[in-house]
Amino acid sequence: MSMTAIVINAFVAVCLLVSLVKSREKTRYALIVAWNALKRMAPSVLAIIAVIGLIIGFVPPRWIASVIGGESGILGVLAAAALGSVLFIPAIVAFPLAKSLVDMGAGTMAIAAFITTLTMIGFVFLPLEIKELGARFALLRNGFSFLVAIIIALLMGLILA
Amino acid sequence: MNTTGNESENNNAVEGAGDGPGEQHRTPLRKRIRWDWLFLALSATALIVLSMIFEGKGRIAGRVVWEYAKEMVFILPSVMVLMGLFAVWVNRETVVKYLGEGSGIKGFVLAALLGTLPTGPMYVAFPLAAVLLKKGARVANITIFLSAWACIKLPLELVEFQFMGWKFALLRLGLTVALVLPMGIMVEVLYNRGGRAQLQADASGLEAGD
């Protein structure tokens, strides 16, 4: 179990105990809400895991490198941002990849756009976000995140150039 | 009050305990349920077929799936319990006071801090955000919360720092923090603008329902 999982579980266990001491009825109700949410989310979350497996297992890093390192200018930034939105790569893999791309001569803007959309936008999570928060909110949030990622990339390119 | 637009959409999402009989006559929900099973069936089939064709890559994919499944089993249930406790114990007035319309800068800061807490992956944030929204948090704060959850994380920054250098990492972090607030407000403005008629319809429906 990871450190994060231990911290979260311990914290929730304490909360649950306090709740149980204060009111059994309310605690029971909270657990019913939790169970229903878990049932509701299960298929989407399992699908997300399958897609993450597909992406990490079957999208070759060389292909990512050719997209980000290949094009330059605003087209390269857009391509990198789009790729970062669609892909799901854990940080521990993404940053070494980004570093190697920089060493190979890829532009700062494209790299910044790629990393920002990678962390900020989860195309993989979109169906679940729509389900939980509504299509209107999900599309607005992801659309603006994409825009902000492009702005961040352009500013970084200007400042670090 | 602008958050009511989501309430009817999320009725079943948050008030899980009471939606049993409601489910039967809500066809849109049923449609959505089929969609996520379809999504699961397609992605799982693709994963299995590709893994059988390319064995070596399939093994990598299998390991990744196993790692994430483990994470899900350890984190998702407890976060859902936390969400349930929150739904039961924290009343609407409290959420409105700290994260609602009048919460101002304090609300922005609180939303960002809630998002940076050491927590699980993005998908556990959505039901938490839905419960906050339903209890009266403003849309801008929910956007800030989710953005912080997604990309302002200490472990993430440390890895970035290590590989990309302090200049790149700090500049990117600074720009992200600076731009998330205007982004939240823009999302809120556009969210509220187009949906006003819808919002009122939903609000009246809620009163009847409650």
Side-chain angles (χ1 to χ4, degrees), chain B residues 83-96:
Chain B
M83 196 267 304
L85 288 172
F86 189 90
V88 169
W89 286 107
V90 181
N91 59 18
R92 191 181 169 86
E93 287 71 37
T94 315
V95 176
V96 170

Side-chain angles (χ1 to χ4, degrees), chain A residues 1-2 4-5 7-9 11-12 15-16 18-20 22-23 26-27 29-38 40-54 56-60 88-92 95-96 98-99 102 108 111-112 115-117 119-121 124-137 140-141 144-145 148 151-153 155-156 159-160, chain B residues 6 9-10 12-19 32-33 36-37 39-40 42-44 46-47 50-51 54 57-58 60-61 64-66 68-69 72 74-85 87-89 118-124 126-127 129-130 133 139 142-143 146-147 150-151 156 159-160 162-164 167-169 171-172 175-176 179-180 183 186-187 190-195:
Chain A
M1 214 192 276
S2 69
T4 319
V7 171
I8 293 176
N9 282 297
F11 176 69
V12 173
C15 291
L16 199 59
V18 172
S19 171
L20 203 61
K22 282 185 133 180
S23 161
K26 277 196 165 186
T27 308
Y29 188 74
L31 288 177
I32 293 171
V33 172
W35 172 245
N36 283 331
L38 203 59
R40 189 181 69 244
M41 285 177 65
S44 299
V45 170
L46 289 174
I48 286 170
I49 292 173
V51 173
I52 291 173
L54 277 172
I56 300 176
F58 297 100
V59 178
F88 180 96
I89 310 175
I92 202 75
F95 287 115
K99 169 89 167 68
V102 172
T108 312
I111 296 291
I115 290 176
T116 307
T117 51
T119 51
M120 225 177 190
I121 304 176
V124 187
F125 301 135
L126 198 59
L128 188 65
E129 185 170 358
I130 289 174
K131 193 170 164 174
E132 294 293 308
L133 290 156
R136 188 179 177 79
F137 177 84
L140 274 172
R141 194 187 73 83
F144 271 97
S145 296
V148 161
I151 296 171
I152 289 174
L155 286 175
M156 285 189 71
I159 296 169
L160 290 178
Chain B
N6 265 57
E9 284 175 42
N10 285 332
N12 309 56
V14 181
E15 301 264 283
D19 65 4
R32 267 178 283 168
I33 286 176
D36 49 88
W37 283 108
F39 182 40
L40 174 59
L42 284 177
S43 49
L47 189 66
L50 281 172
S51 297
F54 307 98
K57 290 184 172 185
I60 299 172
V64 169
V65 167
W66 173 243
Y68 278 89
M72 187 199 81
F74 285 133
I75 291 181
L76 197 61
S78 58
V79 175
M80 290 308 105
V81 169
L82 193 65
M83 196 267 304
L85 288 172
V88 169
W89 286 107
T119 33
M122 196 71 192
Y123 52 75
V124 304
F126 296 135
L133 199 56
V139 173
I142 295 301
T143 310
L146 286 175
S147 303
C151 59
L156 194 77
V159 180
E160 179 166 4
Q162 189 189 338
F163 282 99
M164 306 302 291
K167 230 176 174 180
F168 185 96
L171 184 61
R172 212 180 62 79
L175 287 171
T176 307
L179 286 170
V180 157
M183 174 180 130
M186 288 293 281
V187 169
L190 287 175
Y191 183 88
N192 290 340
R193 183 185 286 168

